[in-house]
Amino acid sequence: MEESVANPYQKYPVRINSVYNETEDKRLKTFGLSFVNSEDSDYFFSQSFQPGQYALVWIPGYGEIPLGIASAPTEHNKLVFTVNKTGKVTSKLHTLTEGMLIGLRGPLGNGYPWEKLKGKNIFLIGGGCAFSTLRSSIKYLLSPENRQDYNDIWIVHGARTPGMLLYKDNFKEWRKRDDVKVHITVDSTSLATGEYHVGNVPFVLKQELPTVDENSVAIVCGPPMMIKYSIDPLKEKGFLPENVLFSLENKMKCGIGHCGRCSIGKTCICTEGPVFSMAEVNEMPDDY
Ligand SMILES: Cc1cc2nc3c(=O)[nH]c(=O)nc-3n(C[C@H](O)[C@H](O)[C@H](O)COP(=O)(O)OP(=O)(O)OC[C@H]3O[C@@H](n4cnc5c(N)ncnc54)[C@H](O)[C@@H]3O)c2cc1C
Ligand code: FES
């Protein structure tokens, strides 16, 4: 264990326990992992791991990539990642099966500011694989040990079609609860069941969200277009720039503030982020 603390590049071996296709196009897979060594698991979970943090996942011979942690610390020793097949490492990861070993470093980054968010109304808004840290956040917020610390909870999840929606079993549970408002939306569907809205996420924000005060915080994760077009509806509803939180997905290498690969101006995304408020993003250089 001491070796893990001393060397920030130390990777822990983790075993793949489950793999399944998350979406009908098979581009998103969800992996369930467990630590091979119990001392690595103790170390990881003793770091006050926060929803919104990420880990660097390493496949020997292919590379190391940042992935948002989709499981919550309240799920106790469970590790879940949802991976979009985009290039070299993620394509290799998609070929791996149960029982195989890979490496992992983390938890890394700041996560969402859960202490500061206590007593607030929380709106979790997202789509695509970026929803992974929202899954972690929702599991955390709705756990019996935390639910009383937060006020109203709203979830808005969007996808292109019903088959592209994520975490369907989790959503079934969340929809049954009367202490959370869930809005699911798809861009198009041939089956108008009443289960979903039909329209994009910004449209649903305009239609369904109440007007809010400074006690409400929006956590927004998703494709750049979704984020871009969600900003105006959120402002119109009354969210303050400091109360809208984004998770930035810049390219990363070391994950610990050494290499400079992830920087935007003077801001080091891998250690100071990836979570930043809209007010902070507005202060970043224009080319971001
Ligand atoms: C904090 C953080 C959390 C992330 N969480 C997730 C997650 O939960 N699930 C998930 O599937 N992906 C996530 N990503 C994105 C993921 O890290 C990249 O998709 C991955 O690094 C691509 O690696 P590759 O070798 O497969 O692709 P490459 O062969 O390196 O590149 C393929 C394509 O992906 C683009 N790309 C490469 N790196 C990134 C990056 N960091 N962000 C965006 N685009 C990139 C390249 O420009 C290129 O177009 C996250 C990124 C960050 C920074
Ligand atoms: S990834 Fe190396 S400094 Fe951020």
Side-chain angles (χ1 to χ4, degrees), residues 202-232:
F203 168 80
V204 171
L205 299 181
K206 274 188 208 151
Q207 294 284 315
E208 302 296 334
L209 259 51
T211 305
V212 302
D213 60 17
E214 69 287 349
N215 203 38
S216 295
V217 171
I219 299 180
V220 190
C221 290
M225 278 301 161
M226 189 211 90
I227 292 180
K228 184 173 173 193
Y229 289 105
S230 294
I231 290 173
D232 280 347

Side-chain angles (χ1 to χ4, degrees), residues 252-255 257-262 268 270:
M252 291 181 183
K253 199 162 174 63
C254 71
H258 286 179
C259 72
R261 175 87 187 265
C262 66
C268 185
C270 69

Side-chain angles (χ1 to χ4, degrees), residues 4-273:
S4 304
V5 177
N7 179 2
Y9 292 102
Q10 173 85 27
K11 295 158 182 61
Y12 322 120
V14 287
R15 178 170 286 111
I16 298 173
N17 295 326
S18 62
V19 188
Y20 59 88
N21 281 310
E22 194 65 62
T23 50
E24 67 185 2
D25 69 352
K26 301 191 168 81
R27 293 199 70 83
L28 265 71
K29 278 190 177 182
T30 291
F31 294 81
L33 306 170
S34 63
F35 288 93
V36 171
N37 302 314
S38 60
E39 62 271 29
D40 294 338
S41 170
D42 292 345
Y43 175 67
F44 187 94
F45 286 99
S46 71
Q47 298 292 294
S48 343
F49 149 50
Q50 300 286 305
Q53 288 192 286
Y54 66 97
L56 284 165
V57 172
W58 175 60
I59 307 184
Y62 288 83
E64 201 179 30
I65 56 165
L67 293 174
I69 304 168
S71 44
T74 44
E75 291 183 277
H76 307 294
N77 295 341
K78 190 171 173 184
L79 263 187
V80 176
F81 295 94
T82 298
V83 183
N84 187 15
K85 187 166 142 183
T86 52
K88 188 177 158 197
V89 181
T90 48
S91 299
K92 181 63 188 172
L93 201 43
H94 268 235
T95 67
L96 303 186
T97 53
E98 285 171 24
M100 290 181 159
L101 295 181
I102 54 177
L104 183 139
R105 282 198 282 144
L108 298 168
N110 57 353
Y112 300 110
W114 296 109
E115 272 305 307
K116 270 172 55 185
L117 297 184
K118 281 186 177 168
K120 307 254 184 218
N121 305 312
I122 316 268
F123 293 73
L124 304 118
I125 300 159
C129 66
F131 201 88
S132 58
T133 59
L134 296 190
R135 181 195 179 278
S136 170
S137 305
I138 296 163
K139 284 270 180 189
Y140 176 82
L141 288 168
L142 297 183
S143 69
E145 56 262 58
N146 294 322
R147 181 64 189 93
Q148 72 279 2
D149 291 336
Y150 300 90
N151 210 350
D152 293 346
I153 296 178
W154 290 63
I155 305 171
V156 179
H157 175 38
R160 289 200 308 278
T161 61
M164 297 298 288
L165 290 164
L166 303 187
Y167 308 127
K168 294 187 180 66
D169 289 345
N170 295 135
F171 269 98
K172 266 187 211 154
E173 284 169 38
W174 299 334
R175 292 186 93 151
K176 282 185 205 151
R177 296 180 61 132
D178 54 15
D179 63 343
V180 52
K181 293 194 176 59
V182 178
H183 289 281
I184 299 180
T185 188
V186 292
D187 292 352
S188 64
T189 178
S190 52
L191 293 171
T193 61
E195 214 177 322
Y196 320 109
H197 298 278
V198 179
N200 57 25
V201 167
F203 168 80
V204 171
L205 299 181
K206 274 188 208 151
Q207 294 284 315
E208 302 296 334
L209 259 51
T211 305
V212 302
D213 60 17
E214 69 287 349
N215 203 38
S216 295
V217 171
I219 299 180
V220 190
C221 290
M225 278 301 161
M226 189 211 90
I227 292 180
K228 184 173 173 193
Y229 289 105
S230 294
I231 290 173
D232 280 347
L234 290 173
K235 282 187 190 162
E236 281 160 25
K237 294 291 176 182
F239 287 94
L240 302 175
E242 57 271 33
N243 286 344
V244 179
L245 302 177
F246 301 123
S247 185
L248 303 188
E249 287 205 0
N250 238 25
K251 289 193 179 173
M252 291 181 183
K253 199 162 174 63
C254 71
I256 52 171
H258 286 179
C259 72
R261 175 87 187 265
C262 66
S263 300
I264 300 175
K266 289 184 179 160
T267 308
C268 185
I269 304 300
C270 69
T271 52
E272 294 171 59

